[in-house]
Each structure stands twice: as C-alpha cells, then as structure tokens.
C-alpha cells in the first residue's frame, strides 16, 4: 500500500471536531469521477462575494440545495443560477461516505441535502470565515479533501483567535459538530505541488444539512 493512502487513527482537533486521516482514500477515484460528471452539468465558477471580490476558489454544488453568493449576499438555493436548472443529484458515493464518516464521529442520523464542491488551483485560498448559512447548527458538517495538500486554518469562535495550522491531504475527512460547528476556519494559499493522480488541483467536498 502507498504510504499516503494508509488510513490512520482519528485525531480530535477540538471537543467535537474529528480528523479521519485517509478515510476517503479508497473511494477517491470514484469521488473524482463523480465530480467530473456533475461539474460537466453545473460548471465550476468564481463567484463574487457581497464585498465585490471574485473568489479565488472555483465552486459548484450537488444535492437539493447549493451554496451560492453574489453582491446581495450568501445563501442556499435549489436552482443553479448559472444554468437555471436544479443542481445535479447527490452521487450515491458522496452520501454513503458522508454517512459512514459521520457515524464514525458519533452522528447516527446525518442526512445531508447539500454538497459544496470547491476547486483550488495553485495560489487559491479561502479566507477565515464561519459557516452560518445553514438552518440547524446541531447538524454536523463532513468535509473531504482530494488532490493537492493544503494547510487548513482552524480558529476559534471569534475571528481574533489565532488559528492553528492543520495539514490536509488526499483522502482526509473532517467531521465538525456541536461546539466546534461555528469556529472560524480557512485554507492558506495552495502551493504548486501537483498530486500524482489529480495533478495541479485540490478538490474539497463539504456535505451539509442546509435546509
Ligand atoms: C470548521 N471549505 O466551503 S473544509 C467551506 O477546504 C470551507 O474547501 C474548506 O470552509 C475547504 O465553507 C474547509 C473543512 C470545514 C468545513 C466546514 C467547517 C471546516 C469547518 C465548519 C465549521 C468549522
Ligand atoms: Fe467553511
């Protein structure tokens, strides 16, 4: 087995934040194939935030609801504003992986209805923010990293708390809930270190119960 695909023991990053190293490594090819299919229907795009800046991260969605932003604000929507059609259906492999990971972290009834798919090319970053557009903060969030490595910034409940730096690699899964759900977090600018199978990109799946 390759070194970078060997599963490791779960690591608690916070009271209710769990890193499952390489948990998704065995499903990675299937996940990436599903991302290709859904992004052929709802393409990756660089949205403009309410502040007026285009995001360096490209994004798309699948599932009943998709996260989007424009000059008017952040929100979840059932229709892709770019295609005028519903977002592509959530692939079965996404749902199965998210539920298995949530269960490993102690959440037995996770029913995600939204999956945000972020694509990072070298230099792309995600500045420190909170995820607070979802209706029910008791529901966990499951995130899956694929492709190039990234440094995840893991902050506190206030923006001023200096974030810890957590390296994330291909196949890593994070599950967040409870008191850690509203932590500030972000991704440092990606270094240009191509991944053996995905090349010069990082894909992140974030599965949520949004509605
Ligand atoms: C911690 N995405 O899409 S995923 C996002 O790698 C987002 O693309 C990052 O932050 C990425 O909103 C980080 C890990 C993650 C997701 C949600 C969280 C960490 C979180 C919610 C609360 C605390
Ligand atoms: Fe986030």
């Amino acid at each position: 087995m390759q070194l970078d695909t060997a599963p490791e023991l779960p690591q608690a990053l916070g009271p209710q934040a769990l890193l499952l190293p390489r948990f998704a490594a065995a499903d990675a090819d299937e996940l990436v194939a599903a991302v290709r299919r859904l992004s052929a229907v709802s393409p990756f795009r660089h949205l403009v935030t309410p502040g007026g800046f285009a995001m360096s991260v490209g994004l798309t969605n699948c599932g009943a609801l998709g996260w989007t932003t424009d000059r008017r604000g952040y929100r979840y929507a059932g229709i892709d504003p770019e295609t005028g059609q519903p977002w592509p259906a959530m692939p079965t492999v996404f749902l199965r992986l998210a539920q298995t990971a949530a269960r490993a972290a102690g959440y037995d009834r996770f029913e995600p209805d939204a999956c945000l798919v972020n694509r990072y090319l070298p230099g792309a970053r995600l500045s420190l923010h909170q995820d607070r557009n979802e209706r029910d903060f008791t529901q966990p969030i499951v995130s899956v990293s694929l492709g190039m490595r990234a440094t995840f910034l893991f902050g506190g409940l206030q923006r001023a708390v200096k974030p810890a730096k957590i390296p994330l690699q291909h196949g890593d899964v994070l599950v967040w809930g409870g008191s850690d759900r509203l932590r500030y977090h972000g991704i440092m600018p990606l270094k240009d270190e191509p991944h053996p199978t995905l090349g010069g990109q990082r894909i992140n799946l974030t599965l949520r119960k949004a509605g």
Side-chain angles (χ1 to χ4, degrees):
M1 190 184 271
Q2 268 175 274
L3 255 186
D4 75 335
T5 58
E8 289 172 17
L9 292 174
Q11 289 169 31
L13 301 182
Q16 301 194 72
L18 197 65
L19 171 61
L20 302 169
R22 259 69 79 215
F23 191 87
D27 293 319
D29 292 349
E30 214 183 321
L31 295 168
V32 170
V35 169
R36 287 218 176 86
R37 283 193 292 273
L38 73 90
S39 63
V41 177
S42 277
F44 287 106
R45 77 286 309 260
H46 294 272
L47 296 175
V48 176
T49 62
F53 295 98
M55 294 178 68
S56 60
V57 175
L59 67 83
T60 184
N61 291 277
C62 60
L65 292 170
W67 186 88
T68 189
T69 180
D70 58 21
R71 289 307 300 252
R72 291 176 296 150
Y74 308 124
R75 66 187 158 275
Y76 281 95
I79 299 289
D80 176 351
E82 194 139 312
T83 63
Q85 299 292 125
W87 300 100
M90 177 98 66
T92 314
V93 59
F94 286 20
L95 193 60
R96 182 167 43 82
L97 178 68
Q99 289 183 328
T100 316
R103 203 167 304 120
Y107 298 96
D108 278 341
R109 281 172 232 289
F110 182 44
E111 292 288 345
D113 55 13
C115 178
L116 171 62
V117 185
N118 290 327
R119 184 174 64 185
Y120 297 75
L121 301 180
R125 64 193 290 260
L126 194 61
S127 53
L128 219 54
H129 67 278
Q130 288 176 300
D131 290 10
R132 44 184 328 144
N133 297 120
E134 299 75 27
R135 205 162 284 174
D136 181 356
F137 294 150
T138 67
Q139 290 285 317
I141 294 179
V142 174
S143 120
V144 183
S145 292
L146 298 165
M148 291 202 292
R149 294 166 181 280
T151 303
F152 176 61
L153 297 169
F154 179 58
L157 295 178
Q158 273 137 8
R159 190 183 287 277
V161 175
K162 192 181 171 190
K165 292 180 179 174
I166 315 277
L168 290 181
Q169 59 169 284
H170 183 68
D172 285 355
V173 175
L174 291 164
V175 184
W176 306 90
S179 55
D180 290 315
R181 177 66 178 69
L182 289 173
R183 278 184 191 260
Y184 279 89
H185 59 279
I187 296 284
M188 300 253 295
L190 245 73
K191 290 189 193 154
D192 192 359
E193 292 169 349
H195 181 268
T197 56
L198 270 96
Q201 60 177 334
R202 170 176 187 263
I203 304 277
N204 180 265
L205 313 176
T206 310
L207 292 113
R208 302 180 169 96
K209 172 99 179 80

